[in-house]
Structures are given as C-alpha cells and as structure tokens.
Amino acid sequence: MIERCRSDYPVGMMCRCLEVSTSGFYAWVGRKPGPRARANAGLLERIREIHEDSKGVIGAPRMQEDLVDEGMHASVNRVARLMARAGLQGWPRRTRRRFGGKPGARPVGIENRLERDFHANEPETKWVTDITEIVTQEGKLYLCVVVDLYSKLVVGWSMHHRQDRHMVVRAVQMAVWQRRGRSEVILHSDRGGQFISGTYQKFLGGNALVSSMSAVGHCADNAACEGFFGMLKRERVHHRCYRTRDEARADLFDYLERFHNPRMRRRVARRDREFSALIKPSVETG
C-alpha cells in the first residue's frame, strides 16, 4: 500500500501510521523477487499465451492440463489463483432444457454394449457418435462426429444442411479410413433414425464395427459424445455468429483439426510417457 500511495503521501508519514520502519520499506522495495515469485511470473506469462490462443475460453482446470502437457508442473489451485489475480477466466457452461423427439426402436440383436463405461484401455476399441446442430444466419448446419474414447480424438466427422443417414455414414467412413488395426470396434450411438437405418447398419457390418445403442430415455448412455459437443459449443460456437454455413464449416474444421485434436494428441503422448516410466523400473527389476 505504501508503494502504491507514495506519489500522494510522504513515505515517512505512511510508515509511522502503519508502524513500518522506513529502512524496512526501502529494503523491501529493493529486494529482488524470490524463486517462487519468478516461477509464478513465468507461469503466468505462459497462461496468458494459452488463454489468448484459446480465444479466452479455457478455465483453470483445462489450463492446468495444458501446462502439464507442456512439462510445467502446477496445481489447479495455483493456476486458478494466478488467473484470478490477472483477471483471466474461462467461459462457464450453459444450462438449458432439452427437448427431444421419441426415440426409435433398437434394431434386433443390438444392445447397449458400453453400459456407460466410457473408459478404453486401447485405441480403436470404443467409439461414440452423435449429431449436433449449429445455427447460422443462412440456416442450420448439422455436425456428426466419431470420437475415440481412448484418446478423445475426433477420428471422423461430416457436416451437412440435412441430418440424414448419408451424413452419418460419411463420418464413420472417415474414421474407418484412419483406422490402423483390423479388430472389431464398438461404435455407440443413440436411437436416432440415422443410426437405426439399414444403410448405416449395413455399413457397420461390412467394416468390423459392432453397433451399440443407448436405452430409451437415457441420454447419459451417450454422455461422452454429448460432453464433447458441450465443450465444442462452450469453447467455440457460442462465441461466434455465423453468417453462412460455409463460414461455420471453416470454423468447425479449425476447431476440430487445429485446436481439439492436436491437444488430445499431446495429452495421449504425455499419458503414454508416464505409463512407460512406470513400467520401466518393473521390467528392469524383473
């Protein structure tokens, strides 16, 4: 406070009022920042850069994850404290009531194979898919994605002004083209008409994909994909006003391929390094 007000009041008078020695004040002014203060300054500088790159949408939890991915060690509380002091904050989730149509009948022989177990130990074992709508001034644009539950990568996607079965098949086809292995993959969806269609089911059967579908009235059965859409809209769509569908397509492509997927790849690489570090001593001991 003395430092802030020294241009308005005499330093000696303020020191007497606050019972601080004048020599102690000047010693504090000339003291160099300690290791913790220097570390916080460097950390805050990188936080500002990441916050600016994300267009101001990343909050403390995801900021901390990005810092850890880069090899910088900081707790969530420390990151939140630094962001609060700098006036940086992410965008909160929007809450809204959802109204959905009546789900279709699940095709014979198809079950809910995930049973809300969205954890995968290996890539290309569990995928989830769904459709969301993006509002533009030209009309609605529909986005279908296929997300790998191991890496959280969007391995397939497609966009169209109609949410039909062909758009869904194109998204899954993109995921199949990028698949490296040949083993069966569980592909989970809700009971939308596009997913129960014969065209979609036939495509899955011909590409070693095992169809899995949610139960009636249980939106949480596909929470992993719903969560991705919520993140997409919170971090990008809600901050835009798209004039045309082409403008929305370009921005969604930028988010998927230049923002989200690179972050997920870095996160998987870090997780793999940590796992390798854990098993290496055991192997050497054995």
Side-chain angles (χ1 to χ4, degrees), residues 6-18:
R6 64 188 302 183
S7 61
D8 300 323
Y9 303 99
V11 171
M13 182 190 72
M14 290 189 289
C15 287
R16 287 193 301 273
C17 292
L18 297 175

Side-chain angles (χ1 to χ4, degrees), residues 58-177:
I58 292 182
R62 299 196 66 202
M63 180 69 71
Q64 190 262 352
E65 291 177 353
D66 282 3
L67 292 171
V68 171
D69 290 341
E70 295 179 2
M72 304 178 72
H73 300 287
S75 66
V76 175
N77 290 337
R78 183 182 178 190
V79 172
R81 184 170 61 252
L82 292 175
M83 291 182 67
R85 290 177 182 174
L88 305 176
Q89 60 181 2
W91 286 78
R93 297 171 183 258
R94 287 187 178 183
T95 57
R96 63 177 66 185
R97 295 178 63 188
R98 295 183 178 271
F99 300 90
K102 185 177 180 180
R106 190 157 53 191
V108 177
I110 296 179
E111 305 173 355
N112 185 349
R113 296 179 179 271
L114 290 189
E115 294 292 347
R116 303 190 185 183
D117 179 11
F118 302 119
H119 176 76
N121 294 320
E122 296 179 1
E124 298 179 1
T125 55
K126 296 179 182 179
W127 290 349
V128 291
T129 183
D130 204 353
I131 303 171
T132 192
E133 64 179 39
I134 310 297
V135 178
T136 75
Q137 295 178 8
E138 189 179 26
K140 291 181 179 179
L141 176 70
Y142 295 95
L143 168 68
C144 178
V145 299
V146 179
V147 180
D148 190 317
L149 291 180
Y150 173 77
S151 61
K152 304 304 186 291
L153 283 169
V154 178
V155 294
W157 53 267
S158 66
M159 292 176 259
H160 200 250
H161 63 275
R162 290 195 304 269
Q163 52 172 335
D164 54 21
R165 63 186 185 277
H166 303 295
M167 179 188 71
V168 172
V169 170
R170 285 195 299 271
V172 180
Q173 191 174 42
M174 178 179 178
V176 170
W177 286 343

Side-chain angles (χ1 to χ4, degrees), residues 54 58 235-236 254-263:
S54 71
I58 292 182
E235 293 184 346
R236 182 61 63 92
D254 179 81
Y255 179 87
L256 295 172
E257 298 296 347
R258 297 183 60 190
F259 181 72
H260 175 79
N261 277 353
R263 292 180 73 244

